[in-house]
Amino acid sequence: MSDCCVKGFQWDGTPEGKETKLAGLNTYVTGSNDQVALLLIHDLFGWTFTNVRVLADQYAREINATVYVPDFFGGEVIAPEIVRDFARLRQLDMPGFLARNSKLTREGEIVACAKAIRATYTKVGAIGFCFGGWAVFRLGAKSHEPPLVDCISTAHPSMLENDEIENVGVPVQILAPEVDPMFSPALKEACNRVIPAKGLPYDYQFFPSVEHGFGIRGNPGDIVEREAMVRAIGAAVSWFKYWLHVK
């Protein structure tokens, strides 16, 4: 992980949902559809970050889904004001944070949440930002039978590995910024080569002139970033409306 995973902007807005429990984890939930659900896997700022909750609210309204945002960091929270404080960013113990929240540590919780949602809802999607990117690929793995989710989407995924790309077995959407040290050209090429070869429905959206993090921490005051964020939200909404309502 690099500084791009924690720098950006905090958005204005008042979350509309409530806090509850899902598979034993503290969880933000918003929306009221009792048939269609979306699991949103947060970035490094975690489940309390205003941006992620405001975005979950928008997904709930526009997709017509109940959206769950569980805490996958065991109660640990990076203070949101750090997002624009570069001195404090450099002081973060990122290796320690990632060691405490490794794939091995958190995958079981993520799968448990998906199973809990699947047990209640007819249609289930998953979207992951940054840290959540690798996780949605694992939720969509072909080894899950029956599938835990019906489709996945990710914006600027981090920690994604080639075997996770190889093993995916559900429709995939990727929202890929031009500048992204975490989602390298090699990983982009692997996705664009491997996923279509599997015969899976695939929507690769390229966002020129923006960087890693734009989808969850972009600058609303910058016209290029704002347009990219609006387009990314619209793309995800269209993707999930099709796979969770039409199909």
Side-chain angles (χ1 to χ4, degrees):
M1 300 290 243
S2 65
D3 285 352
C4 65
C5 296
V6 284
K7 70 180 183 180
F9 289 80
Q10 186 171 5
W11 304 339
D12 294 328
T14 302
E16 302 168 357
K18 62 183 181 181
E19 295 184 5
T20 184
K21 293 280 189 178
L22 178 69
L25 301 182
N26 289 327
T27 300
Y28 178 78
V29 62
T30 179
S32 59
N33 193 315
D34 62 2
Q35 297 294 315
V36 177
L38 181 67
L39 176 60
L40 194 163
I41 305 177
H42 53 66
D43 71 347
L44 292 186
F45 282 95
W47 76 297
T48 60
F49 192 35
T50 299
N51 296 21
V52 76
R53 294 189 173 195
V54 168
L55 187 56
D57 291 340
Q58 186 164 359
Y59 286 154
R61 290 191 302 270
E62 297 191 16
I63 298 169
N64 184 20
T66 299
V67 182
Y68 291 86
V69 187
D71 173 18
F72 291 124
F73 289 158
E76 187 171 5
V77 174
I78 295 176
E81 61 270 18
I82 289 179
V83 76
R84 294 298 297 161
D85 189 334
F86 298 112
R88 291 179 67 185
L89 279 176
R90 288 191 291 271
Q91 295 172 5
L92 284 176
D93 176 18
M94 193 58 65
F97 182 86
L98 293 174
R100 294 188 295 275
N101 298 289
S102 66
K103 293 184 180 184
L104 182 63
T105 301
R106 300 303 173 194
E107 183 179 11
E109 296 176 342
I110 293 167
V111 169
C113 286
K115 286 182 175 179
I117 295 172
R118 175 59 94 187
T120 303
Y121 294 85
T122 303
K123 289 285 191 175
V124 180
I127 186 167
F129 295 85
C130 187
F131 173 87
W134 67 268
V136 297
F137 269 81
R138 291 203 178 186
L139 290 180
K142 58 190 176 186
S143 58
H144 295 300
E145 189 56 47
L148 292 177
V149 295
D150 297 293
C151 61
I152 62 172
S153 176
T154 181
H156 38 81
S158 296
M159 302 163 64
L160 184 63
E161 299 177 71
N162 284 305
D163 64 337
E164 293 161 343
I165 300 168
E166 292 280 354
N167 291 331
V168 74
V170 300
V172 179
Q173 180 186 63
I174 296 177
L175 309 174
E178 180 178 5
V179 182
D180 193 342
M182 301 307 300
F183 189 42
S184 66
L187 282 172
K188 290 173 181 174
E189 186 278 331
C191 287
N192 289 330
R193 171 173 45 82
V194 172
I195 299 172
K198 290 175 167 292
L200 292 172
Y202 181 49
D203 180 31
Y204 181 86
Q205 301 261 348
F206 178 69
F207 293 80
S209 303
V210 294
E211 301 180 0
H212 180 95
F214 84 95
I216 195 69
R217 298 185 306 276
N219 181 4
D222 181 285
I223 185 63
V224 174
E225 289 191 29
R226 181 175 180 83
E227 288 180 353
M229 287 189 291
V230 170
R231 184 182 144 212
I233 292 170
V237 166
S238 296
W239 178 254
F240 287 116
K241 285 176 74 172
Y242 180 77
W243 291 106
L244 302 182
H245 288 283
V246 176
K247 291 294 287 183

